[in-house]
């Protein structure tokens, strides 16, 4: 940037400027010179002054020596400096001015009859800086031997934790000396970064092998240490210097990143010290600090001042908490606590060293200001690695001891097992005989139970048939009595009449009506006699031994017949109970080949279960409940489907998968054998290659669905 003016104006300006300088800064030391005297300063509280304003005669008396700069309560962000420098050496040199604590630096220097401008600053775009070197705010100015340069510098401050200017001093040194120093510093910083990288990859390999969370959090801490070391040294900005806004982004991320690193640090402590198992209260408190750091990280993007204050408070609490926790772990002889404490104190020493230099307590040199924090971080990282390795070694030793104890226990168990095996062989021989006997008894008991189930089924059928056969027999008896009465009412032959005697008087209604009534009575007697004979025949067929022979059967008729028989058996036991029976038989259903006796037993079992469920529910709910049973058949593809549904007590979800198991029953002891549904299931699935399923809702309904191939 070039400021041009007329020769007279420049001369006047030159006289004005030079008259303001009471002392010339002598540059004769081949090393760094800390400039704190011979400089005038002007506070720019409005941040609106320009170079012409500063050079004006009316501002001359406002400049004061920097020795008179006393801190005030109000915050001043912009200062103007005026000074002259003279090269007292015998060589033409390039001198480097270092304004490291300032965000933006505008450096005006006199060159013949004009002032030229150079810019730098830790927030200024890296590639646009006058002399871009890492994180330095350098101004490079060539000065010939014996030459005097008048300079005016505008310094603008931006708040940063690591860059807090305590005064207006700056340093000047030959470029050759600066370059040598920066080269050495770069090598040392790269050494630290190399140590971080080696430790990172080594522990990353261990994490891949062990998969322990402690190593994952430790790797996160390593990444944070690597980032902040490289960022504070300026190497991140120098690598991506083409991004003009990067310095400002890194500056803003500094606070957010420090809180993220704090979160990683606390997670690592929790995992390493096993606080969740060993110190639950400390673990909960650390969780609270983690949440606080997360909230503060968000607040940095909303309100900086509050977030910064809370961050300082939280950092103090974290410091006290971690030291107290580690001391407790050392007292409890936790193996890695000592390593952790020494490493943590080393890091704190580096932080306090930097703060002491910035506060003016410690002298500023390469170690106190440049290497102290990376050194502390390196010691901390190495000791943390030792702490993790110690945990692994402790776990390995514990595992070895456990394995040793397990081997000893295994040998003892083998000896004991040999002894027990011998005893067991003898006992097995004794028990085998007992088991054979028990098995024979069990088979006999099973046969008895099966016979009992068959007899129970036969008894149910017999009761129904007995009740069913009573109807046609009642008709036979009634119509027989009517026929006898008709004959008795007819005219009787007199005593001594021969067999050819014919009555002269007709019976009431005439002979035609008489014979018609008699004929109808005899027909009724014949019909109901055949019906009784059919029922008896069915009973005999049911009671015969099952031959397994399949016959073409009217499935609808069989289902209806056994429903009536089951109902009659129910009425024989409980005449007061009434149930509504709803039939829906498919007329298109063809005859199917089945074993009638088996399907009859299956139907009887399901009907009786439905009647029992409705009786139980009727006893529970009283008159407000109407028992119902639905029986329907359908032709579904190549299968005959039978559905038997009742609105009884239903079956719970917990036991619905058990109802087809042998000997499982929900009825009270002595009421059922637990074989009815098991036998019914086998009749459909094994005997007829069909399927039997059940759907039920407790307290509402139960529906059995049988599907038999045609």
């Amino acid at each position: 940037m070039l400021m041009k003016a007329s020769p007279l104006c420049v001369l006047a300006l030159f006289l004005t400027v030079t008259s303001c300088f009471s002392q010339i800064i002598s540059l004769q030391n081949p090393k760094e010179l800390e400039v704190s005297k011979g400089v005038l300063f002007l506070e720019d509280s409005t941040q609106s002054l320009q170079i012409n304003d500063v050079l004006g005669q009316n501002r001359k008396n406002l400049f004061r020596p920097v020795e008179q700069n006393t801190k005030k309560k109000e915050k001043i962000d912009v200062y103007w400096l005026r000074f002259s420098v003279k090269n007292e050496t015998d060589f033409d040199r390039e001198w480097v001015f270092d304004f490291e604590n300032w965000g933006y630096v505008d450096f005006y220097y006199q060159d013949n009859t004009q002032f030229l401008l150079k810019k730098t600053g830790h927030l200024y775009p890296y590639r646009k800086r006058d002399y871009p070197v890492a994180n330095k705010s350098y101004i490079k100015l060539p000065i010939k031997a014996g030459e005097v340069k008048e300079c005016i510098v505008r310094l603008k401050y931006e708040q940063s934790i690591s860059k807090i200017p305590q005064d207006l001093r700056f340093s000047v040194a030959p470029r050759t000396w600066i370059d040598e120093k920066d080269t050495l510093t770069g090598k040392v910083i790269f050494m630290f970064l190399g140590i971080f990288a080696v430790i990172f990859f080594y522990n990353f390999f261990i994490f891949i092998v062990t998969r322990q969370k402690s190593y994952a959090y430790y790797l996160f801490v390593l990444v944070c240490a690597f980032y902040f070391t490289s960022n504070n040294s300026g190497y991140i900005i120098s690598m991506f210097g083409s991004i003009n806004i990067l310095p400002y982004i890194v500056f803003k991320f500094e606070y957010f990143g420090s809180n993220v690193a704090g979160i990683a640090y606390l997670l690592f402590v929790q995992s390493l010290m096993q606080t969740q198992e060993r110190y639950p209260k400390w673990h909960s408190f650390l969780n609270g600090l983690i949440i606080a750091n997360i909230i503060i990280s968000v607040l940095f993007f909303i309100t900086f001042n509050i977030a910064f204050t809370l961050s300082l408070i939280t950092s103090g609490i974290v410091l006290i908490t971690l030291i107290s926790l580690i001391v407790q772990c050392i007292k409890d002889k936790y193996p890695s606590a000592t390593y952790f404490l020494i490493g943590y104190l080393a890091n704190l020493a580096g932080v306090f060293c930097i703060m002491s230099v910035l506060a003016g307590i410690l002298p500023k040199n390469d170690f106190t200001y440049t290497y102290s924090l990376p050194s502390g971080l390196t010691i901390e990282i190495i000791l943390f690695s030792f702490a993790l390795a110690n945990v692994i070694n402790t776990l390995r030793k514990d595992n070895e001891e456990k394995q040793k104890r397990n081997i000893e226990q295994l040998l003892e168990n083998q000896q004991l097992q040999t002894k027990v095996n011998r005893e067991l062989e003898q006992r097995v021989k004794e028990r085998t005989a007992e088991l054979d006997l028990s098995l024979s008894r069990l088979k006999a008991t099973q046969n008895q139970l099966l016979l009992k189930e068959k007899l129970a089924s036969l008894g149910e059928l017999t009761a129904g048939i007995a009740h069913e056969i009573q109807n046609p027999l009642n008709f036979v008896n009634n119509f027989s009595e009517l026929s006898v009465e008709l004959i008795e009412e007819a005219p009787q032959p007199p005593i001594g009449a021969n067999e050819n005697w014919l009555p002269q008087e007709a019976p009431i209604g005439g002979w035609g009506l008489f014979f018609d009534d008699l004929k109808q009575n005899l027909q009724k007697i014949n019909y109901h006699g055949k019906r009784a004979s059919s029922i008896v025949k069915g009973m005999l067929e049911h009671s015969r031994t099952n031959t397994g022979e399949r016959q073409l059967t009217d499935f609808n008729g069989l289902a209806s017949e056994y429903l009536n028989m089951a109902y009659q058996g129910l009425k024989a036991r409980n005449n007061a109970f009434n149930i509504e029976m709803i039939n829906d038989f498919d007329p298109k259903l063809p005859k199917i080949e089945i074993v009638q006796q088996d399907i009859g037993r299956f139907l009887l079992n399901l009907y009786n279960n439905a009647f029992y469920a409705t009786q139980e529910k009727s006893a529970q709910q009283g008159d407000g409940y109407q028992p119902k049973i639905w029986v329907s058949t359908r032709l579904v593809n190549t299968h005959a489907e039978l559905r038997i549904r009742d609105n009884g007590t239903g079956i719970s979800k917990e036991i619905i998968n058990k109802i087809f198991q042998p000997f499982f029953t929900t009825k009270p002891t002595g009421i059922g054998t637990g074989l009815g549904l098991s036998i019914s299931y086998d009749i459909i699935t094994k005997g007829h290659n069909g399927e039997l399923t059940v759907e039920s809702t407790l307290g509402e309904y139960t529906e059995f669905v049988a599907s038999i191939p045609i």
Side-chain angles (χ1 to χ4, degrees), residues 397-412:
K397 290 180 181 178
D398 292 342
N399 289 334
E400 289 177 354
E401 292 179 358
K402 288 180 181 178
Q403 289 179 355
K404 184 178 179 180
R405 289 195 298 267
N406 290 337
I407 292 173
E408 294 175 353
Q409 186 66 36
L410 181 61
L411 293 175
E412 293 179 2

Side-chain angles (χ1 to χ4, degrees), residues 518-556:
L518 185 59
K519 181 180 179 180
Q520 290 178 3
N521 290 345
L522 293 175
Q523 288 175 344
K524 294 289 185 180
I525 291 171
N526 182 56
Y527 169 76
H528 289 287
K530 289 181 179 180
R531 183 182 170 200
S533 176
S534 174
I535 294 172
V536 171
K537 182 180 178 182
M539 186 177 97
L540 291 174
E541 288 179 352
H542 182 80
S543 62
R544 286 198 196 105
T545 303
N546 181 13
T547 62
E549 230 179 279
R550 298 196 180 200
Q551 299 175 353
L552 279 174
T553 306
D554 180 6
F555 196 56
N556 291 339

Side-chain angles (χ1 to χ4, degrees), residues 179-197:
D179 290 344
E180 291 176 0
K181 176 184 175 183
D182 288 341
T183 300
L184 177 62
T185 301
K187 291 179 180 179
V188 175
I189 295 299
F190 272 114
M191 179 190 69
F192 288 130
L193 296 178
I195 294 173
F196 293 163

Side-chain angles (χ1 to χ4, degrees), residues 85-285:
V85 291
K86 181 180 181 181
N87 184 2
E88 297 284 2
T89 67
D90 297 331
F91 302 97
D92 297 340
R93 295 178 182 270
E94 284 187 321
W95 299 84
V96 176
F97 296 78
D98 186 4
F99 301 94
E100 64 178 349
N101 295 329
W102 300 93
Y104 297 97
V105 179
D106 294 344
F107 189 91
Y108 298 90
Y109 67 97
Q110 186 181 18
D111 184 32
N112 296 325
T113 59
Q114 60 185 358
F115 273 87
L116 301 181
L117 172 63
K118 294 185 175 185
K119 291 190 175 186
T120 189
H122 66 84
L123 294 181
Y124 194 68
Y126 180 77
R127 295 290 170 82
K128 295 182 179 181
R129 297 178 189 178
D130 178 59
Y131 188 32
V133 177
N135 64 336
K136 306 297 183 180
S137 298
Y138 285 162
I139 293 293
K140 181 178 63 175
L141 184 63
I143 306 177
K144 296 179 180 180
E147 184 181 12
V148 177
K149 290 285 187 181
E150 285 74 30
C151 306
I152 298 177
V153 184
R154 182 180 186 271
L155 303 175
K156 184 177 181 181
Y157 165 67
E158 289 285 348
Q159 187 175 15
S160 173
I161 294 176
S162 60
K163 297 178 174 62
I164 305 177
Q166 296 298 319
D167 50 41
L168 300 176
R169 69 180 64 184
F170 58 91
S171 62
V172 184
R175 177 184 171 182
T176 54
W177 187 87
I178 288 291
D179 290 344
E180 291 176 0
K181 176 184 175 183
D182 288 341
T183 300
L184 177 62
T185 301
K187 291 179 180 179
V188 175
I189 295 299
F190 272 114
M191 179 190 69
F192 288 130
L193 296 178
I195 294 173
F196 293 163
V198 170
I199 296 175
F200 176 86
F201 287 111
Y202 171 74
N203 287 278
F204 181 76
F205 174 75
I206 297 178
F207 168 70
I208 295 298
V209 175
T210 61
R211 296 291 181 179
Q212 289 195 359
K213 289 193 297 183
S214 299
Y215 276 94
Y217 297 138
Y218 175 63
L219 293 174
F220 194 8
V221 172
L222 268 172
V223 170
C224 293
F226 186 92
Y227 169 78
F228 282 107
T229 301
S230 58
N231 178 56
N232 292 336
S233 303
Y235 292 111
I236 291 180
I237 295 177
S238 61
M239 289 177 61
F240 304 96
S242 59
I243 304 175
N244 291 336
I245 199 174
L246 183 63
Y248 186 78
I249 295 175
V250 171
F251 157 68
K252 286 296 184 182
F253 183 77
E254 183 176 357
Y255 309 102
F256 174 79
S258 63
N259 280 87
V260 173
I263 294 171
Y265 207 94
L266 293 173
L267 290 173
F268 172 68
V269 171
Q270 285 182 326
S271 181
L272 179 67
M273 299 303 166
Q274 300 178 4
T275 55
Q276 188 170 8
E277 298 81 11
R278 296 167 56 86
Y279 309 104
K281 293 183 178 179
W282 284 107
H283 186 80
S284 300
F285 191 74

Side-chain angles (χ1 to χ4, degrees), residues 43 76 157 238 306 335 516 627 656 673 681 694 702:
E43 296 177 349
I76 305 298
Y157 165 67
S238 61
I306 295 177
D516 287 340
I656 196 168
T673 61
Y681 184 80
V694 59
T702 300

